[in-house]
Each structure stands twice: as C-alpha cells, then as structure tokens.
Amino acid sequence: MTDTPRGELMQIGTVAERTGLSLRTIRFYEETGLVIPTARSEGGFRLYSEDDVARLDVIKRMKPLGFTLEEMQELLVLLADLDSGTGDRAPLLDRLRMFHEAATARVTALKEQLAVAEGFAETLSGRLDASR
C-alpha cells in the first residue's frame, strides 16, 4: 500500500491500491453517491482525499456483512454527524448502537455458516482419505 501525505489528493488508481477495491467498484460507489471525489483535476481526473479513502474503507467492511447501499449511506452520514460534534449526540449514538448490534449479529451468522462449510469440507476430506 502506498502512503500519501495528509491533505494530498490521490487519483483513483492510488485509491484502488490503498483500499483493495477495483476502479469499477469505486466508480460504482461514486455513481450511487456513497463516495464523491473531493475534487477533479484540470484534466477531469477524480481526486480523492484521506476522508474519501476512509469512507471507502467503511463501505468495504460493511459489504461482506450484507448491508444495503441505503444502510451504508445512513451509517456514513451518521459517522460524519458524530465527527462534526454538533447537535444532540444521544440519538446518533443510539443509532450507532443499532448498527453495532446488526453488525455483530451478522458476524455471528457468518461464523455459523463458516463452521458448517468447514464441517462439510472436513467430511469430504474424510471421504477422500477413506477412499485411498
């Protein structure tokens, strides 16, 4: 992963390297409004900030848990509101707790699915060993 000095804008290729996301995926997230490049170069190239990369990292971590694009957008707005430090934080923290509970439940479900899949692979391995 390439390091970029704080405040320096990056082109989409650098962002793709940093996040492990494809250019196509990053463009899709832009089209859906989840991440908007901070600026564009004179030549029209997308330019992303560290904050944009952080947003993409949140999205990347939510995706395997099955969160919808709308839920991703909601959480991104919620996190930005919390970071702004303005307004009543209590309802924001309540909503964040709900996201945490949903994420935890989805992680548990994935662990259960993984255990089933590992058991199946082990069964097949046993069958192969018995056939030798």
Side-chain angles (χ1 to χ4, degrees):
M1 286 201 171
T2 12
D3 266 343
T4 305
R6 197 97 177 119
E8 185 177 317
L9 297 178
M10 300 160 268
Q11 289 189 1
I12 194 169
T14 303
V15 173
E17 285 177 30
R18 295 255 323 260
T19 61
L21 297 171
S22 69
L23 301 176
R24 184 177 182 180
T25 298
I26 295 170
R27 287 186 190 111
F28 172 75
Y29 290 143
E30 179 185 350
E31 289 168 12
T32 60
L34 288 175
V35 174
I36 306 298
T38 296
R40 289 219 179 230
S41 70
E42 287 182 24
F45 294 105
R46 296 165 174 85
L47 298 174
Y48 296 88
S49 68
E50 289 293 335
D51 288 343
D52 299 329
V53 171
R55 286 177 70 90
L56 285 165
D57 282 336
V58 169
I59 294 164
K60 181 180 176 182
R61 292 165 63 194
M62 291 180 79
K63 181 81 173 121
L65 296 178
F67 284 98
T68 66
L69 294 174
E70 293 78 18
E71 289 168 325
M72 291 176 188
Q73 181 67 37
E74 184 181 346
L75 180 60
L76 290 167
V77 169
L78 172 64
L79 294 173
D81 289 348
L82 280 168
D83 288 345
S84 76
T86 58
D88 186 8
R89 294 177 57 82
L92 298 176
L93 292 172
D94 285 344
R95 189 69 187 128
L96 184 58
R97 254 183 232 93
M98 291 172 59
F99 271 103
H100 176 259
E101 290 169 7
T104 301
R106 292 173 187 201
V107 166
T108 299
L110 283 173
K111 285 179 180 177
E112 290 168 1
Q113 287 178 345
L114 178 59
V116 169
E118 287 174 335
F120 177 66
E122 194 60 37
T123 299
L124 294 177
S125 178
R127 293 290 300 256
L128 283 171
D129 289 345
S131 298
R132 291 184 187 165

